[in-house]
Amino acid sequence: MASRKKKLKLFKRRVKIKARKRVEMAEKKKEKENVTPLVRKYWLQRYDLFSRYDEGIKMDEEGWFSVTPEEIAARQARWCAGAGVVIDAFAGVGGNAIQFAQLCHHVVAVDIDPKKVALASDNAKIYGVEDNIDFIVGDFFQLAPFLKGDVVFLAPPWGGPSYKAIENFTLDLLKPKDGHSLFQVAQAITPNIIMYLPRNVDVLQASALSWLSSPPLNVEIEENFVRGNSKGITIYFGDTLFT
């Protein structure tokens, strides 16, 4: 009798597991069907973008092709590990803000799109760092004079996936303002600036931004790869000693 009950429990457990798997597979199928053609290839890379994607990560269409892959975002955060306050000027759906929040004391995440800020806030909860981030809906250029921080992270819009067709991506192609103007606004907050730029960016032009300071800022240039594929260029300006 005891053996029969035990077998019945095991059978019920297997049925529940199978039912759960069917539900998960149905949800993934439905999600894949809702993915637009523009972001389909990015959906296939979803775990590179957020390792905890299956726990409820959400993105809008622009977020799929603009969020920094998690491996790269984590590396960028390590450069300023221990910093007091990091300002993420174009936070999007929160990929970088989440990584900064894990290694720095506090993050101010700014984005002009309230929908993206809501998504970023929900995504931060999945990683358990929501208490370390202040999310602000607003224009970074208008807010900058009132912001204080130790590091400013700049990952402005690159103009969508079409940026890849440009042979030499110059700073004037950045949105909503050119790279020089953007850098100067950030520089008024702190000399410690991280810029995440397209892989085809004019590196000499971008690194020359260091000369906008007197004396010129220290510069580190890093090409970022995921699974052997080049994804972008990170340029670090200023000091790295926060710990």
Side-chain angles (χ1 to χ4, degrees):
M1 188 71 177
S3 176
R4 186 179 175 183
K5 286 183 177 179
K6 187 175 181 180
K7 288 181 180 178
L8 186 60
K9 284 183 179 179
L10 286 171
F11 175 74
K12 288 181 177 179
R13 191 178 302 159
R14 289 194 190 104
V15 169
K16 286 182 179 178
I17 291 171
K18 287 181 180 179
R20 193 183 305 127
K21 285 184 177 179
R22 280 198 294 270
V23 170
E24 290 175 354
M25 287 176 67
E27 288 177 347
K28 286 183 179 180
K29 183 180 179 182
K30 183 180 179 182
E31 180 185 7
K32 188 174 181 180
E33 289 172 349
N34 290 333
V35 170
T36 65
L38 179 63
V39 302
R40 184 160 288 131
K41 77 169 188 176
Y42 300 98
W43 185 84
L44 295 173
Q45 302 170 33
R46 59 196 181 281
Y47 300 113
D48 290 335
L49 304 180
F50 288 98
S51 62
R52 300 176 70 170
Y53 179 83
D54 285 344
E55 296 178 42
I57 292 294
K58 299 295 181 185
M59 290 180 272
D60 61 358
E61 186 173 78
E62 185 179 9
W64 278 103
F65 56 77
S66 62
V67 67
T68 305
E70 185 169 289
E71 181 183 339
I72 297 174
R75 185 173 180 84
Q76 291 164 340
R78 285 196 292 272
W79 181 81
C80 57
V85 177
V86 177
I87 299 170
D88 186 348
F90 304 92
V93 295
N96 281 99
I98 289 169
Q99 296 303 316
F100 284 126
Q102 294 191 63
L103 294 179
C104 304
H105 294 286
H106 200 74
V107 178
V108 176
V110 179
D111 202 281
I112 200 167
D113 184 347
K115 292 181 180 178
K116 284 186 174 60
V117 171
L119 292 170
S121 179
D122 288 341
N123 292 340
K125 291 175 183 174
I126 292 171
Y127 282 79
V129 295
E130 69 274 17
D131 291 338
N132 295 344
I133 307 175
D134 284 331
F135 290 100
I136 301 176
V137 177
D139 184 335
F140 171 68
F141 295 99
Q142 294 181 6
L143 294 171
F146 309 100
L147 297 175
K148 293 183 179 180
D150 302 292
V151 178
V152 173
F153 176 72
L154 302 174
W158 299 349
S162 61
Y163 80 88
K164 298 174 186 176
I166 301 170
E167 184 176 350
N168 188 46
F169 192 100
T170 53
L171 296 180
D172 59 292
L173 296 175
L174 293 174
K175 305 295 181 183
K177 291 189 178 183
D178 69 273
H180 288 89
S181 299
L182 177 58
F183 190 87
Q184 287 177 313
V185 171
Q187 193 180 14
I189 299 172
T190 175
N192 303 312
I193 299 167
I194 304 173
M195 293 189 80
Y196 184 47
L197 301 166
R199 63 194 181 201
N200 52 344
V201 72
D202 186 328
V203 175
L204 289 176
Q205 183 192 42
S207 60
L209 291 171
S210 65
W211 289 88
L212 294 176
S213 288
S214 182
L217 300 171
N218 293 327
V219 180
E220 294 178 40
I221 301 170
E222 177 179 270
E223 186 170 8
N224 303 116
F225 294 85
V226 175
R227 300 182 187 277
N229 298 311
S230 178
K231 295 294 183 180
I233 300 289
T234 303
I235 303 182
Y236 304 93
F237 299 90
D239 300 322
T240 59
L241 301 176
F242 294 100
T243 55

